[in-house]
């Protein structure tokens, strides 16, 4: 029984199609850009407060990009590349 399942799968085939991988890389880029925008804003001196950590870029824009990236990843996984 196990041999029949293995014979049905080609070793040269990918699980997803070209369209799926394209959307996955786009989603990964959104996530990476979001995390890059979230970084920084710290202070070298612990006695000095840096209000830059509460900027629009770090509080609203970056998490939104990360969530959009995760949404694109889910879409890429569920996308049927054979449907035309």
């Amino acid at each position: 029984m196990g041999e029949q399942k293995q014979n049905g799968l080609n070793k040269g085939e990918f699980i997803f199609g070209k369209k799926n991988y394209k959307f996955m890389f786009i989603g990964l880029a959104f996530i990476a850009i979001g995390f890059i925008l979230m970084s920084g804003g710290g202070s070298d001196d612990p006695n000095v407060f840096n209000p830059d950590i509460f900027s629009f870029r770090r509080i609203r824009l970056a998490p939104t990009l990360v969530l959009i990236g995760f949404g694109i990843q889910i879409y890429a996984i569920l996308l049927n590349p054979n449907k035309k």
Side-chain angles (χ1 to χ4, degrees):
M1 177 98 173
E3 292 177 19
Q4 289 176 343
K5 288 183 181 180
Q6 287 180 352
N7 289 339
L9 297 174
N10 281 335
K11 293 185 180 185
E13 287 186 30
F14 289 112
I15 295 173
F16 298 115
K18 185 176 181 181
K19 194 173 184 181
N20 294 82
Y21 284 114
K22 184 171 70 170
F23 277 106
M24 282 185 187
F25 286 126
I26 291 170
L28 187 64
F30 268 82
I31 293 169
I33 290 169
F35 276 109
I36 289 169
L37 290 176
M38 235 184 283
S39 67
S43 177
D44 294 333
D45 185 10
N47 296 324
V48 177
F49 177 73
N50 188 357
D52 196 34
I53 61 170
F54 298 117
S55 69
F56 172 79
R57 185 184 86 193
R58 289 188 178 94
I59 297 295
R60 305 271 184 198
L61 181 63
T64 303
L65 285 176
V66 171
L67 289 175
I68 289 171
F70 283 131
I72 293 172
Q73 291 289 359
I74 292 170
Y75 175 74
I77 291 170
L78 296 177
L79 181 66
N80 185 359
N82 298 327
K83 187 176 180 182
K84 293 184 180 179

